[in-house]
Amino acid sequence: MNNKTRFTEGDRKYLAAIDTLGGSASTREIRKRVDGWDDRAVRYRHNRHQRFGTIEIHKDNDRTPHHVSAMKVAELTDDGEALIAKGAAADEEVEKTTQEQVEQLATRIEELEETMNGAFPWMREVMARVRRLETAFEDVTNESVEAYGDVED
């Protein structure tokens, strides 16, 4: 790749999508991850990056359903990996698949449940201490805490 070539936002998204998928991605996988791209947009990037030497294209029958022509797969070259390591795909957030989004949400829910399970005993202890303080205040002052404002249970 020549040093004067500048990557566009589309180039960065393309490289980020392939990088996110482990350095090898089918046209369909790239299309699913880059919002608004169709097959034509992905083919354009395939051709452009083949010329740059950042990817190689091959057909993969293992990723292709039966009775359909073999799926094109873009694979990062050493030059492509070096460019990504230098930040060529930086600052590009790649669209996550639905499965990845579900897994991420499930992890966040588990973390929240763990936090809440740890917080409930602490909150019960704080409430018990507040009740003891209220009782002690009432014993010392012979006044009700209620007179000092609304207190909720």
Side-chain angles (χ1 to χ4, degrees), residues 51-102:
R51 285 192 313 272
F52 290 159
T54 55
I55 62 149
E56 291 178 353
I57 299 289
H58 64 276
K59 294 197 177 198
D60 188 344
N61 286 320
D62 294 336
R63 295 186 190 201
T64 307
H66 293 288
H67 308 296
V68 177
S69 61
M71 193 174 293
K72 283 186 178 180
V73 175
E75 191 163 334
L76 289 172
T77 63
D78 291 341
D79 288 345
E81 289 176 4
L83 283 169
I84 288 173
K86 290 179 186 176
D91 300 328
E92 287 304 324
E93 206 154 305
V94 177
E95 189 73 23
K96 292 182 176 151
T97 64
T98 304
Q99 180 64 32
E100 289 170 334
Q101 291 174 1
V102 167

Side-chain angles (χ1 to χ4, degrees), residues 13-34 37-46 55-65 68-76 94-95 97:
K13 285 181 179 182
Y14 176 80
L15 290 174
I18 297 171
D19 185 46
T20 299
L21 292 164
S24 177
S26 70
T27 300
R28 182 174 182 239
E29 291 168 328
I30 295 167
R31 190 182 66 235
K32 284 172 113 178
R33 289 187 178 263
V34 182
W37 280 18
D38 58 11
D39 284 341
R40 190 176 68 64
V42 176
R43 278 193 309 271
Y44 169 79
R45 295 293 167 194
H46 282 341
I55 62 149
E56 291 178 353
I57 299 289
H58 64 276
K59 294 197 177 198
D60 188 344
N61 286 320
D62 294 336
R63 295 186 190 201
T64 307
V68 177
S69 61
M71 193 174 293
K72 283 186 178 180
V73 175
E75 191 163 334
L76 289 172
V94 177
E95 189 73 23
T97 64

Side-chain angles (χ1 to χ4, degrees), residues 85-136:
K86 290 179 186 176
D91 300 328
E92 287 304 324
E93 206 154 305
V94 177
E95 189 73 23
K96 292 182 176 151
T97 64
T98 304
Q99 180 64 32
E100 289 170 334
Q101 291 174 1
V102 167
E103 289 170 4
Q104 185 179 26
L105 286 173
T107 300
R108 290 178 67 194
I109 289 170
E110 287 174 12
E111 291 170 357
L112 180 60
E113 286 174 342
E114 287 176 21
T115 300
M116 294 306 294
N117 288 337
F120 287 133
W122 175 81
M123 288 171 29
R124 283 191 289 276
E125 177 63 28
V126 168
M127 289 170 57
R129 286 183 183 191
V130 168
R131 280 191 210 106
R132 288 193 301 268
L133 288 169
E134 288 174 344
T135 302

